[in-house]
Amino acid sequence: MLGRTMTRALEFETRQFNFMDVDLGEGIPRTMMIMGGGLLAIWITVLWALFGPPTQVTLLVYFTIPSVIVFYAFQEDPARPRRKRIAGWVHRVRYALRGHRPFVSRTLSKHRDDILPMSYRFGITQAVAALRGRGEVGVWDTSSQDAPHPYTACTPFRVRMKARIISSKEKGHA
Amino acid sequence: MLKTLTKTLGVSKALNAATPAYKIIADGLIVSQDRAQAWYEIPISSTQLAADEEIDDQLLRAIATARLALADYDCQLRVLWSLTDSDEYTDTAEQCTQASARAWAEARGQAIEEWALPKRHVLLGVDIENRATPLVVRSINSATSWVGGDTGSIPAAEREYLMRKAAALGSRLKNSVFNATPASVETLAWMIGREMHRSIRATPKAGTITGAALAMLASGRAVPWRDHIRFYAETGNEVAYAAVMAITDFPEEIDSNDGGWLLALSNIARPDLSDEAYSVTVLPEASIRFRINSRPSAISAIDKARKSAKEQRQEASRGHAEEAGQDIELSEAELTALLAEIKRGNADLVTSYPLLVLTEESMSELDASVDALIGHYAGMGITVERLADQQMEAWLSTLPCDLARITDYYQVQDAPAFFGSLFWTGSAVGESDGHVIGYTTGATKTLVRYHPTEHPLKGDSATSVVLGRSGRGKTTALQLFALDAAAEGAWVPVVDYKGDLNNAHGGLVSAAHSVGISASRVDLGDAYAGTCDLFALMDTEDAIIHAHSQLMLLISEQRRKAAHPILMDALTRRVRNGQARSTAAIINDLQHHEDAEARAVGDELAAFAHDSLARLIVGQATGEATLENTRGISLIQVPKMDLPDAQVPYDQWTLTNRVSLAVARGILAWITTTARNSALRHMRKLVVVPEAHLFTANGESANFLVRISRMGRAYNVHLLLDTQDPASVAKYEGITEQITTLFAFSLNTPEQQDATAQLLGLTPSAYTRDAIRNVSVAPDGSVWHGHCLMRDAQGRVATIQIAIPNTSIAQALSTTPDRATREDK
């Protein structure tokens, strides 16, 4: 018996074919227009507020490079089917800031002692390992032999509490 | 638009949802702070050799049940693996093993441990109550817990309400192709506890697990890395590495007859990293949250998308673009057609979030397994993606009472595509009790039990047949089943006309003795003279006519007419005088008779005393061995038999034919009389007949088989026979009607294959012929001993491996001539 999957049929990208009576030709993806346009607008506004209007030279920084980045961000990610590149970047940042939290005693822990070091979350350790030629470190960090092992049995610890002698008077004895 | 934007970024509110806070686990129920889920266990429905039409029928029934019972419920399907251990067998082995034969059950148990078979569990969770919304419900629940002073559980009234709701849903799922039953509290505790890879067990109190015990179950430490999760033991050491993957793409069309996409979880292997000559099984687990959309919601979703596609097409046509693009136009056409089908009630939509989880003990093994899994599914046109930077969210969403967190990797399929995963099917055959004879070798590996001596006690027919070419393991299987029955205390006569159940390692009898099973042997040696003498074997009231018919076969054609009254008189005289009964004594009486004719008859019979075969009747019993009707194996080996063919008329029979028939008559009459003995009706009995085609070629022996087969239930007897010629057995309706269990090894000719297919309950076809021809052929082309098709009493058919417990038993039971013996010859 044949069954059908309709996911792709439901997941087509909508495009804007004209904008304020301007024909946009083959159309611009609406998500790129709205989100990318919004981000671009915020970028230009911030730079304008800080450094004033763009010059012939700074136009590159104000507009050209961000536009290229926006265009690139909203392309299909070849490594992640059905996702844009920007989704991968968002997840990467989310992992570094929040998604790394371990599941400890039935909740997601924020305790410093429970979580992976920041250098690892932000890929610094992997980059250094790669520079040192310790194997290829890409998106998949499988070279875990170099990774820190934060939870090891019998790790030495220091008692931070000061000893306090309690006199017999304080204890309530005669 | 906001939904589209969040989807583009791959983020949703669900990503940050709180982790499930469990309140209580009970039979068929898990309740957390936010939701209550009913859980059911779905046993394997064996479909290994089912025809396409049968699979389609199962699929239609599954869809009908799901539409009725599960529409608009949020559900979670879990496919999990555990290891089959011998406890499953040893806990019940005592019931089918005598104390003296415990070593046999232990050998069987040891073999099960060595197999290390993966055991599949399919569990279905259904959200039956939302405890978080509306806010007033959440507030009432929290207040009730606070007032009651027990925030670790739920009020008894609520528990009862939820259990009633779960039971109502369960009754609809039970009476369906799923045959679902509420999952026991122990199973649910195992499902939760195993997630943290710690060896914590919780014992239910009054059928529930709450409070500290529940907290302990779900405690542990799991640290997410970018592409995997590491689990840590109490000591702080890493104990497991897991990777969560999403199924991101399915082919547009899926044919369920190509093998279900969840059934495929059982078929993945990769090279062993320590020795690439070997392969190891990869056992991914699945967690699929799904919802069968109601018709209004399906229509709404499809119509919205259709309108969007239409709008795109119209917008494009107004401008320079003119066309919106092929994917938009195809989408619009497909969605329009789909909408019409949904409105007519011809289609159901299922939205799902399929995730697969792999766990290994090292990173390198995990990476290798992930590659194997992705490659295997790619071969089916299904894309599996290892989720980067979302491992913890994905893993949390596999926990009970959680929710779908990776919402952008959803799938929308029609019901045949979703249920075409065939998650409830697999390979299962055999009985619920008795000894474990082996395991299934299809999509799922399950222990196979076979308990022939129980069939008559259950009021079932009582015949089993083993078919196949020589050298594939038929006779070894027969011997194993004989040992199983004798270990239970059954009477097990084994009639070996071929004479190969004996070898340099001692054969069947030696194997039996080695594990404490009682066994004896009768063969053509001197010590066994007189053991088939019906005059001695039969009870007084039956002895005369049986002995007379046996001895008349030995008398020559010329003397028959005269011998008839002489023998009758001699036999009757002995019985009437209360003298010892034996043919040797009758011969002595006749040789000393005053009548010359009687003396001639006596001399003729006495001449047989030197023949190894006829000696079994006329020889003087030595007292060393007799045919016993007590518990244990009685092996009767008569390899020189040459029974007359049913087509050959009596006057053309040779002397060997007549002597063979007389011996056979003795053996079979003894078996029949013992089987019918009312004093022994309580005793389990298994009559084993290897090479049954030697019997069916002769009318009298064939009639014996039909008689034993038909009277089996009445006299607590099970007939077990093997043959290389299924067609010869198939023509006897008296036997085929009574067959409850069938084992089929390889057969080569199309006629035999078709006859076997019919006996298996399958429709003969090119597929069944192929399956039967190749069942005893290993993937490398060598002979696969012990591998066969089994049809059980319920009509289920699957491939199984009949297993010999250990090498010493295997050596003893081998019917292959030893190399030295072959070379000598």
Side-chain angles (χ1 to χ4, degrees), chain B residues 704-762:
Chain B
F704 160 77
L705 291 180
V706 172
R707 216 168 28 246
I708 290 284
S709 183
R710 279 192 166 146
M711 77 178 191
R713 190 169 66 84
Y715 293 100
N716 198 8
V717 176
H718 192 106
L719 174 65
L720 172 63
L721 48 94
D722 89 46
T723 181
Q724 297 177 27
D725 183 11
S728 69
V729 169
K731 71 185 182 197
Y732 287 94
E733 250 184 49
I735 298 174
T736 56
E737 274 173 10
Q738 310 300 326
I739 295 175
T740 51
T741 312
L742 193 91
F743 301 87
F745 292 79
S746 281
L747 287 152
N748 272 351
T749 67
E751 297 76 26
Q752 299 289 23
Q753 289 157 4
D754 286 349
T756 301
Q758 286 181 326
L759 288 170
L760 284 167
L762 305 172

Side-chain angles (χ1 to χ4, degrees), chain A:
Chain A
M1 184 181 292
L2 286 178
R4 290 165 298 168
T5 303
M6 273 76 75
T7 316
R8 289 289 190 176
L10 291 162
E11 228 176 44
F12 51 86
E13 186 163 54
T14 52
R15 302 175 91 86
Q16 193 66 30
F17 292 98
N18 75 77
F19 183 67
M20 295 172 79
D21 290 328
V22 174
D23 192 313
L24 298 175
E26 294 299 320
I28 298 174
R30 282 181 180 157
T31 47
M32 189 194 318
M33 260 189 75
I34 297 168
M35 217 182 289
L39 291 171
L40 203 57
I42 294 169
W43 173 256
I44 293 171
T45 307
V46 167
L47 286 188
W48 201 300
L50 290 174
F51 306 110
T55 63
Q56 227 173 355
V57 175
T58 58
L59 194 64
L60 202 68
V61 177
Y62 272 60
F63 186 75
T64 312
I65 294 174
S67 298
V68 169
I69 292 173
V70 162
F71 178 79
Y72 185 74
F74 284 88
Q75 300 307 301
E76 295 281 335
D77 188 337
R80 294 173 183 76
R82 294 170 58 193
R83 281 179 170 171
K84 308 287 184 194
R85 284 198 171 90
I86 190 170
W89 301 344
V90 167
H91 292 145
R92 183 73 180 90
V93 171
R94 190 179 173 281
Y95 172 79
L97 296 177
R98 189 190 168 117
H100 62 278
R101 288 180 191 163
F103 186 80
V104 180
S105 298
R106 301 175 303 141
T107 58
L108 293 176
S109 169
K110 295 182 214 177
H111 237 280
R112 187 181 299 179
D113 293 335
D114 290 334
I115 60 181
L116 284 174
M118 199 175 286
S119 63
Y120 204 86
R121 278 183 270 143
F122 282 98
I124 297 168
T125 309
Q126 294 92 310
V128 167
L131 282 172
R132 286 180 184 170
R134 286 193 189 171
E136 194 178 325
V137 180
V139 171
W140 316 118
D141 359 298
T142 53
S143 55
S144 53
Q145 291 82 358
D146 293 328
H149 291 256
Y151 311 110
T152 312
C154 303
T155 310
F157 64 93
R158 214 168 3 131
V159 176
R160 291 197 175 87
M161 194 176 73
K162 277 186 187 172
R164 181 166 166 259
I165 297 170
I166 303 171
S167 70
S168 56
K169 259 196 205 168
E170 286 172 353
K171 277 190 213 167
H173 291 292

Side-chain angles (χ1 to χ4, degrees), chain B residues 631-652:
Chain B
R631 298 175 197 277
I633 293 173
S634 292
L635 172 62
I636 307 148
Q637 289 190 295
V638 282
K640 291 184 180 176
M641 298 278 272
D642 182 14
L643 291 169
D645 194 275
Q647 312 302 323
V648 175
Y650 175 77
D651 57 1
Q652 291 178 27

Side-chain angles (χ1 to χ4, degrees), chain A residues 6, chain B residues 291-293 298 302 338 342 347-351 412-414:
Chain A
M6 273 76 75
Chain B
R291 186 181 182 94
I292 301 170
N293 300 306
I302 299 298
L338 181 61
I342 295 174
D348 296 286
L349 286 193
V350 180
T351 305
V412 177
Q413 298 172 297
D414 64 4

Side-chain angles (χ1 to χ4, degrees), chain B residues 476-500:
Chain B
T476 305
L478 236 63
Q479 294 179 86
L480 288 167
F481 302 155
L483 287 166
D484 283 337
E488 194 181 11
W491 172 67
V492 186
V494 181
V495 187
D496 179 15
Y497 278 6
K498 208 171 163 190
D500 58 355

